[in-house]
Amino acid sequence: MAAEQDPEGRAAAQPLLTDLYQATMALGYWRAGRAWDPAEFELFFRRCPFGGAFALAAGLRDCVRFLRAFRLRDADVQFLASVLPPDTDPAFFEHLRGLDCSGVTVRALPEGSLAFPGVPLLQVSGPLLVVQLLETPLLCLVSYASLIATNAARLRLIAGPEKRLLEMGLRRAQGPNGGLTASTYSYLGGFDGSSNVLAGQLRGVPVAGTLAHSFVTSFSGTEVPPDPMLAPAAGQGPRVDLAACVEAWLERVCAHLGLGIQEPHPGERAAFVAYALAFPRAFQGLLDTYSVQRSGLPNFLAVALALGELGYRAVGVRLDSGDLLQQAREVRGRLRTTAAQFQVPWLELVPIAVSNNIDEEELARLAQEGSEVNLIGIGTSVVTCPRQPSLGCVYKLVSVGGQPRMKLTEDPEKQTLPGSKAAFRLLGSDGSLLLDLLQLAEETPPQAGQELRVWPRGAQESCTVRPSRVEPLLQLWVQEGQLCEPLPSLADSRAFAQLSLSRLSPAHKRLEQPEPYQVALSEKLQALVDRLGARGPQ
């Protein structure tokens, strides 16, 4: 299977991004003559993250690209030889050199799908040695991506559909790969963009950014722009000295706001002028470097109004400290009165952006009715997932040689569901989601209108359900190493995620104490679980 030679593929993972015991097990399988035994693993999670009732499946794109590029190079094999016993048969290392994923088949939930405990996010089948080696990297690629997407979806649900959300957590992320993953899958989960330029280059995530406080404080006010002249937006007419125009407007703005002309910081104003000269069509003011009301806002207004005379419109202001909700209301009020005073209607509609360690609770405040905030930048709380740092996905063997395998343990929660399986979502006549059904792959798929007896997980008794519609959940993406159909774009997966969430009931979407979503087993699968659980593997 040929590796995809593209930056996104190389960014996914390297074959030795794994745990050593995968290599030791590979040697054990090879020594036992079982390297080519057909096997199937399932990747799933046991509990929904953040105390919620849903997760969003993510990371499939990275997994497929990793599988298609999987190949142990000479340097990889040589390193494994250095950490395995020195008397290891050299023929094993020759075997490793010939490995790829040309015998691997993957079924999975499409990215952006609703996912629930026990339902496979991925089913991976192929030669036992190879699919065992894939365990750790696939878990790494899926677990964090799905956690981030789910966290972003929660934040989007809190913010509502109107507020723009910008992920800006790269500097807080767990390393560069974690930062790229967070930027990518926060977008899939519902954010509007990211500050991460690499996510834009490699993944197509919309990127945004303006200026920091350091830019503002670097100016003292004594600087003279080498070229303060700016042409009108329409491209016709004489160029104007923007700095001089700003000073003229400052007098009028300060008189309107009841401020002394000396109160707005000259260095801040010089910084705004410099930024406006560089970005006249994308000028945004960062208002809280010194004082929002006495400096940042009047300096912004002076520059915005000077630009307005030339046909440009400022794109926003940003607040980064203090009571963001209250300050946004005060700033909006000043924007409205200034717009009316100088008869500049567009000024009162200038978007207000906020940032500053915003978590779920603060986001709920900023999203409440009457909030004047338009754009919310979130960093730490989206990329580090502080409420739950890991999704806890597992990758478990369910069959070898066509025979079901089941993990038995003293902890019932950690028992696995044996056998190769199919998964279906059952819907009611109104389109509502009833439950997800797991059954053995050999069983006839459930039919709309047909009454089914199922065993809800965790329940002591079966129940009956009659779906009006049945949707298969697991899609064939890779068959014996070959991509079966093009992977959706990140933007398409993002749209699908929002559609998926729209179908979930409000009770299941509640972020606190939600109603659990039901996952059930078919009678035949439940019988197999009971048999293997009682007598052990056959």
Side-chain angles (χ1 to χ4, degrees), residues 40-58:
E40 182 171 334
F41 284 79
E42 290 180 349
L43 191 156
F44 60 93
F45 59 89
R46 295 189 174 103
R47 293 185 182 180
C48 290
F50 313 117
F54 72 90
L56 285 182

Side-chain angles (χ1 to χ4, degrees), residues 2 77 101 107 130-131 174 188 213 242 309 367 380 391 396 421 451 497 518 529:
V77 176
C101 290
R107 290 177 173 81
V130 174
V131 291
Q174 292 93 336
L188 184 147
H213 292 104
L242 181 66
E309 280 192 331
T380 305
L391 180 53
K396 297 300 180 183
K421 291 180 282 296
E451 186 173 274
Q518 201 168 76
V529 170

Side-chain angles (χ1 to χ4, degrees), residues 329-380:
R329 287 171 174 164
E330 292 172 356
V331 167
R332 180 67 71 203
R334 293 297 178 92
L335 290 174
R336 288 192 179 110
T337 62
T338 305
Q341 173 70 25
F342 300 113
Q343 297 183 353
V344 185
W346 59 264
L347 186 61
E348 68 174 295
L349 301 177
V350 165
I352 298 176
V354 297
S355 55
N356 187 25
N357 292 323
I358 295 169
D359 56 17
E360 288 190 359
E361 290 72 22
E362 177 66 6
L363 180 60
R365 286 188 71 235
L366 296 171
Q368 66 184 266
E369 186 175 353
S371 167
E372 295 291 351
V373 172
N374 305 105
L375 185 150
I376 302 167
I378 307 179
T380 305

Side-chain angles (χ1 to χ4, degrees), residues 132-423:
Q132 181 72 72
L133 284 175
L134 298 177
E135 174 181 4
T136 300
L138 293 183
L139 282 169
C140 182
L141 292 171
V142 170
S143 297
Y144 184 55
S146 299
L147 186 74
I148 285 288
T150 307
N151 192 30
R154 287 173 60 88
L155 294 168
R156 169 51 72 192
L157 288 171
I158 295 171
E162 301 303 323
K163 307 294 185 188
R164 288 179 54 79
L165 296 179
L166 179 69
E167 179 274 316
M168 45 194 298
L170 180 58
R171 64 189 63 191
R172 305 281 187 258
Q174 292 93 336
N177 290 338
L180 180 60
T181 298
S183 299
T184 302
Y185 292 105
S186 62
Y187 178 64
L188 184 147
F191 274 53
D192 295 287
S194 171
S195 65
N196 187 342
V197 177
L198 187 62
Q201 180 191 32
L202 295 183
R203 305 299 180 86
V205 177
V207 295
T210 52
L211 68 160
H213 292 104
S214 57
F215 184 86
V216 176
T217 58
S218 74
F219 289 82
S220 66
T222 61
E223 298 83 5
V224 177
D227 181 8
M229 309 302 288
L230 184 64
Q236 298 177 346
R239 299 171 75 223
V240 173
D241 185 330
L242 181 66
C245 190
V246 167
E247 293 300 322
W249 268 109
L250 184 67
E251 291 189 25
R252 301 174 67 184
V253 167
C254 286
H256 166 63
L257 297 178
L259 298 171
I261 190 70
Q262 76 286 350
E263 290 188 67
H265 196 287
E268 180 181 59
R269 190 160 60 257
F272 287 179
V273 169
Y275 196 82
L277 287 169
F279 300 97
R281 300 182 189 278
F283 172 63
Q284 183 187 64
L286 177 58
L287 302 188
D288 65 322
T289 304
Y290 300 110
S291 166
V292 173
Q293 296 295 335
R294 296 194 308 275
S295 184
L297 184 57
N299 277 331
F300 165 79
L301 289 171
V303 176
L305 289 165
L307 286 172
E309 280 192 331
L310 294 171
Y312 300 99
R313 292 189 179 183
V315 299
V317 298
R318 180 160 72 93
L319 301 165
D320 191 50
S321 59
D323 186 331
L324 300 174
L325 180 65
Q326 181 59 31
Q327 287 197 79
R329 287 171 174 164
E330 292 172 356
V331 167
R332 180 67 71 203
R334 293 297 178 92
L335 290 174
R336 288 192 179 110
T337 62
T338 305
Q341 173 70 25
F342 300 113
Q343 297 183 353
V344 185
W346 59 264
L347 186 61
E348 68 174 295
L349 301 177
V350 165
I352 298 176
V354 297
S355 55
N356 187 25
N357 292 323
I358 295 169
D359 56 17
E360 288 190 359
E361 290 72 22
E362 177 66 6
L363 180 60
R365 286 188 71 235
L366 296 171
Q368 66 184 266
E369 186 175 353
S371 167
E372 295 291 351
V373 172
N374 305 105
L375 185 150
I376 302 167
I378 307 179
T380 305
S381 289
V382 65
V383 304
T384 66
C385 301
R387 289 175 62 102
Q388 182 177 326
S390 173
L391 180 53
C393 286
V394 293
Y395 182 89
K396 297 300 180 183
L397 181 70
V398 296
S399 72
V400 177
Q403 297 301 308
R405 292 291 184 265
M406 180 180 180
K407 176 184 176 183
L408 299 175
T409 174
E410 285 76 14
D411 183 353
E413 186 183 39
K414 300 190 77 172
Q415 291 183 358
T416 59
L417 297 175
S420 181
K421 291 180 282 296

Side-chain angles (χ1 to χ4, degrees), residues 14 95 97 158 267 361 377 406 460:
Q14 299 181 55
H95 181 82
R97 284 188 173 89
I158 295 171
E361 290 72 22
M406 180 180 180
Q460 299 300 314

Side-chain angles (χ1 to χ4, degrees), residues 52-64:
F54 72 90
L56 285 182
L60 173 63
R61 185 182 183 88
D62 289 337
C63 290
V64 171

